[in-house]
């Protein structure tokens, strides 16, 4: 009887953990092998066997899926119970105490086992005492702060002109491509610093630099000059654009040069093709810029009479050439040079005219409403002439033209056909160039208010500086446009542009 009781005893009497494992294993085996014999073990005596026979019959009726569910439920219950026990043990662990070190230099962490702890070895059963030293923490004042990443200065953008902000101008040759010619590197920096300034000067300098690039060019093996030279020039152009956006005259000259390269016969020897390209560049500069400017000066000079007062704005090479030609012809007239910040280009024009004996009056743009009353004619230069007859020039030109129109003074624009474009502009917002706001000028030492400098309020979060380069003058303010093709109204600009591009 005692032996039968030990075999078929109640699981609650035996060890809970061992019996649960036995029940789990048996139930899982039954769920995995439902077709095996599920008859219980024979009872040790008749009474016990008869008592357990209904329970065995009941267990036979339970399906394998239900047994599997029970096994899973019991396993999840054991996992939850083990997790709760682990959390209780972690809560019972005493927290380390912090105390001042005797030296007063830092904090010392003392744990309950900091003095000594006994380590029990698993194999030999021997024990050894280890002494744990207290950990010292450096105080906050002695901790060296890690150098953080340098924060780039945020560019303050005016929302209305947000589409005009691009990559900041390049001021060094760092990061330039290896294919960029040294002459192009120097020209880009000169344009960025306004050493080379003006539409004609930038166009001529670009073409002359491209001559050097072509002279030093060698066609790689496996390709032809018409195909690879265009790609090679594109690397030079990208660098120039990173220094400063291309002018309209530069764009027209570059398109002409690329078209000329694409028309070269691939069978032409490289030396002959390069010589033809360099000769064509010289002819373009001579015909489209130098000779055209001289023709415009001769035509505009005939508009100047003795006793005239010529008002001009900023500095234009065409206007300067016209005034010098009129002075060379012995005409007596006076010049008013109106200038504006930040470039103050009119200073160079006034200095050049005074050195040659002309009578010059220099003023800033805020007095233009008074100066225009003394003028008899207004001569203006151009950065570009749009296809709808509007003048795209240095910012402030539109104000001068408007004041002249109000005073009923003729406004004459001097512009070569290489500056004409087929683009249409209605305002100076959609298309313009934004120069760095630092060019507006601050020394950082001038005080404005109590204890503040100009640099401080320039960096204030509620301050925005806008430095536009150009504006747009409506065609109704323009009396005449003088080109190498003659004098014409602003509405004839697209016709002249088609003629100049087709020749």
């Amino acid at each position: 009887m005692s032996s039968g009781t030990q075999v078929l005893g109640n699981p609650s009497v035996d060890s809970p953990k061992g019996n649960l494992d036995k029940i789990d294993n048996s139930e899982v085996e039954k769920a995995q092998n439902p077709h095996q014999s599920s008859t219980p073990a024979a009872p040790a005596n008749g009474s016990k066997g008869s008592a357990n026979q209904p329970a065995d019959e009941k267990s036979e009726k339970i399906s394998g899926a239900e047994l599997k569910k029970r096994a899973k439920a019991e396993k999840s219950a054991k996992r939850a119970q083990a997790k709760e026990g682990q959390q209780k043990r972690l809560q019972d662990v005493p927290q380390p105490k912090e105390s001042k070190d005797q030296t007063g230099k830092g904090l010392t962490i003392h744990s309950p086992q900091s003095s000594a702890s006994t380590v029990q070895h698993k194999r030999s059963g021997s024990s050894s005492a280890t002494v744990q030293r207290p950990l010292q923490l450096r105080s906050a004042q002695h901790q060296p702060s890690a150098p953080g990443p340098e924060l780039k200065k945020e560019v303050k953008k005016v929302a209305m002109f947000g589409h005009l902000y691009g990559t900041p101008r390049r001021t060094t040759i760092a990061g330039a491509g290896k294919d960029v010619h040294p002459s192009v590197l120097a020209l880009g920096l000169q344009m960025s610093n306004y050493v080379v300034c003006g539409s004609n000067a930038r166009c001529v300098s670009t073409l002359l630099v491209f001559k050097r690039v072509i002279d030093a060019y060698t066609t790689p093996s496996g390709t032809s000059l018409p195909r690879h030279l265009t790609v090679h020039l594109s690397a030079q152009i990208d660098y120039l654009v990173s220094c400063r956006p291309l002018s309209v005259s530069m764009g027209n000259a570059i398109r002409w040069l690329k078209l000329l390269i694409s028309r070269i016969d691939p069978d032409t020897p490289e030396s002959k093709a390069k010589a033809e390209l360099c000769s064509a560049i010289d002819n373009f500069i001579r015909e489209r810029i130098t000779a055209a400017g001289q023709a415009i000066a001769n035509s505009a000079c005939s508009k100047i009479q003795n006793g005239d007062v010529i008002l001009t704005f900023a500095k234009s090479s065409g206007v300067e050439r016209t005034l010098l030609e009129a002075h060379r012809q012995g005409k007596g007239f006076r010049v008013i040079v109106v200038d504006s910040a930040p470039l103050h280009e009119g200073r160079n024009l006034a200095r050049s005219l005074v050195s040659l004996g002309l009578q010059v009056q220099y003023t800033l743009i805020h007095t233009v409403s008074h100066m225009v009353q003394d003028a008899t004619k207004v001569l203006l230069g151009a950065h570009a002439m749009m296809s709808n007859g509007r003048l795209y020039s240095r910012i402030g030109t539109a104000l001068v033209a408007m004041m002249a129109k109000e005073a009923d003074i003729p406004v004459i624009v001097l512009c070569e056909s290489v500056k004409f474009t087929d683009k249409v502009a209605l305002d100076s917002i959609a298309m313009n160039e934004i120069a760095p706001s630092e060019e507006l000028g601050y020394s950082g030492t001038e005080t404005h208010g109590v204890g503040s400098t100009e640099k401080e309020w320039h960096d204030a979060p509620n301050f925005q500086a806008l430095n536009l380069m150009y504006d747009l003058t409506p065609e109704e303010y323009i009396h005449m446009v003088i080109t190498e093709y003659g004098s014409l109204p602003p509405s004839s600009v697209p016709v002249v542009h088609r003629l100049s591009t087709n020749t």
Side-chain angles (χ1 to χ4, degrees):
M1 180 69 67
S2 61
S3 61
T5 304
Q6 291 178 359
V7 174
L8 298 177
N10 193 344
S12 61
V13 179
D14 298 331
S15 175
K17 183 177 180 180
N19 290 330
L20 284 175
D21 294 338
K22 293 177 181 179
I23 293 173
D24 294 342
N25 295 334
S26 62
E27 290 179 352
V28 171
E29 291 176 358
K30 290 179 181 180
Q32 294 177 350
N33 303 312
H35 299 289
Q36 293 182 0
S37 175
S38 60
T39 57
N45 52 37
S47 60
K48 289 293 180 182
S50 62
N52 294 335
Q53 185 175 2
D56 295 336
E57 292 177 359
K58 185 176 180 181
S59 63
E60 290 178 359
K61 296 180 181 179
I62 299 175
S63 63
E66 292 179 355
L67 291 175
K68 194 172 183 178
K69 289 181 180 180
R70 287 184 182 182
K72 289 183 178 180
E74 291 176 356
K75 284 186 178 181
S76 60
K78 287 195 299 181
R79 293 193 189 99
Q81 185 178 2
K83 189 174 182 181
E84 292 177 0
Q86 184 178 4
Q87 292 178 354
K88 289 181 179 180
R89 287 194 300 271
L90 292 175
Q91 293 176 358
D92 294 339
V93 174
Q95 298 294 330
K97 298 180 180 180
E98 294 183 356
S99 63
K100 273 285 184 179
D101 192 8
Q102 294 179 358
T103 59
K105 295 182 179 180
L107 298 177
T108 304
I109 298 179
H110 298 281
S111 63
Q113 301 174 352
S114 61
S115 59
S117 62
T118 303
V119 180
Q120 184 74 22
H121 298 282
K122 294 182 179 180
R123 293 185 178 180
S124 62
S126 61
S127 60
S128 62
T130 59
V131 179
Q132 293 184 356
R133 296 181 179 179
L135 301 177
Q136 290 187 356
L137 297 180
R138 294 182 180 177
S139 57
Q141 59 182 356
H142 293 287
Q143 283 186 346
S145 58
E150 296 182 359
L151 298 178
K152 294 183 178 180
K153 186 176 180 181
E154 182 182 359
V155 179
K156 297 180 181 180
K157 298 182 179 181
V158 181
M160 181 178 293
F161 300 91
H163 60 285
L164 299 177
Y165 291 90
T167 306
R169 285 186 183 179
R170 181 190 296 272
T171 56
T172 62
I173 61 175
K178 62 180 181 179
D179 295 333
V180 181
H181 195 272
S183 299
V184 179
L185 294 175
L187 178 61
L189 296 183
Q190 290 173 352
M191 289 183 179
S192 178
N193 297 325
Y194 303 108
V195 177
V196 178
C197 188
S199 182
N200 285 341
R202 293 168 63 190
C203 182
V204 172
S205 299
T206 301
L207 291 176
L208 293 177
V209 164
F210 283 173
K211 277 187 59 179
R212 298 182 181 179
V213 174
I214 294 173
D215 286 336
Y217 171 79
T218 303
T219 306
S221 60
T223 183
S224 60
L225 184 143
R227 292 184 178 181
H228 188 265
L229 181 56
T230 304
V231 178
H232 183 65
L233 287 179
S234 297
Q236 323 299 321
I237 297 168
D238 292 341
Y239 173 80
L240 294 178
V241 172
S242 66
C243 296
R244 190 178 172 189
L246 300 179
S247 64
V248 173
S249 58
M250 292 173 65
N252 290 335
I254 290 172
R255 280 190 291 271
W256 165 83
L257 181 58
K258 286 187 175 182
L259 181 61
L260 186 64
I261 294 174
S262 64
R263 292 177 177 175
I264 296 178
D265 188 359
D267 297 332
T268 304
E270 180 179 333
S271 57
K272 181 180 179 181
K274 290 164 61 175
E276 291 177 354
L277 288 175
C278 294
S279 177
I281 291 175
D282 291 335
N283 292 335
F284 184 91
I285 295 175
R286 182 171 53 253
E287 295 175 2
R288 299 294 303 275
I289 298 178
T290 305
Q294 188 61 41
I296 292 174
N298 294 334
S299 178
C301 183
S302 62
K303 309 295 181 185
I304 300 177
Q305 306 296 330
N306 289 324
D308 278 344
V309 179
I310 307 300
L311 187 144
T312 185
F313 177 71
K315 182 180 184 297
S316 169
S317 59
V319 173
E320 182 179 6
R321 188 182 293 109
T322 299
L323 296 177
L324 294 179
E325 180 65 22
H327 178 69
R328 189 185 64 81
Q329 294 179 7
K331 296 182 179 180
F333 59 94
R334 184 163 57 93
V335 180
I336 299 176
V337 178
V338 180
D339 203 3
S340 67
L343 297 182
H344 295 287
E345 298 173 285
R347 294 178 181 175
N348 296 329
L349 176 61
R351 186 181 297 111
S352 175
L353 296 178
V354 169
S355 62
L356 294 177
L358 277 77
Q359 185 178 359
V360 180
Q361 184 176 359
Y362 178 85
T363 184
L364 295 179
I365 196 171
H366 59 271
T367 62
V368 66
S369 59
H370 300 284
M371 294 294 102
V372 76
Q373 304 297 330
D374 298 335
T376 57
K377 292 181 179 67
V378 176
L379 295 182
L380 298 176
H383 179 81
M385 286 297 300
M386 314 306 291
S387 184
N388 55 348
R390 301 201 171 192
L391 171 62
Y392 185 68
S393 188
R394 184 73 70 219
I395 189 167
T397 305
L399 176 61
V400 174
M402 180 183 67
M403 299 303 299
K405 179 68 175 178
E406 290 294 326
D408 198 18
I409 299 174
V411 177
I412 302 174
V413 177
L414 312 182
C415 182
E416 297 86 350
S417 61
V418 72
K419 299 179 182 178
F420 287 10
T421 178
D422 55 357
K423 295 181 181 179
V424 175
L426 301 178
D427 52 45
S428 55
I429 299 176
M431 184 181 69
N432 210 321
E433 179 184 348
I434 292 185
S437 59
E438 291 79 5
E439 294 178 0
L440 294 176
Y442 56 82
S443 60
T445 58
E446 300 176 2
T447 58
H448 299 267
V450 180
S452 65
T453 62
E454 189 173 352
K455 181 175 177 58
E456 290 178 356
W457 59 257
H458 186 275
D459 295 336
N462 57 342
F463 176 80
Q464 292 178 330
L466 181 64
N467 188 13
L468 291 176
M469 294 292 293
Y470 304 102
D471 63 9
L472 200 68
T473 303
E475 60 177 330
E476 54 266 22
Y477 295 162
I478 301 173
H479 179 73
M480 181 188 304
V481 179
I482 299 179
T483 69
E484 65 268 29
Y485 293 94
S487 302
L488 49 95
S491 57
S492 300
V493 168
V495 178
V496 176
H497 179 61
R498 286 195 296 269
L499 291 175
S500 61
T501 54
N502 292 333
T503 55

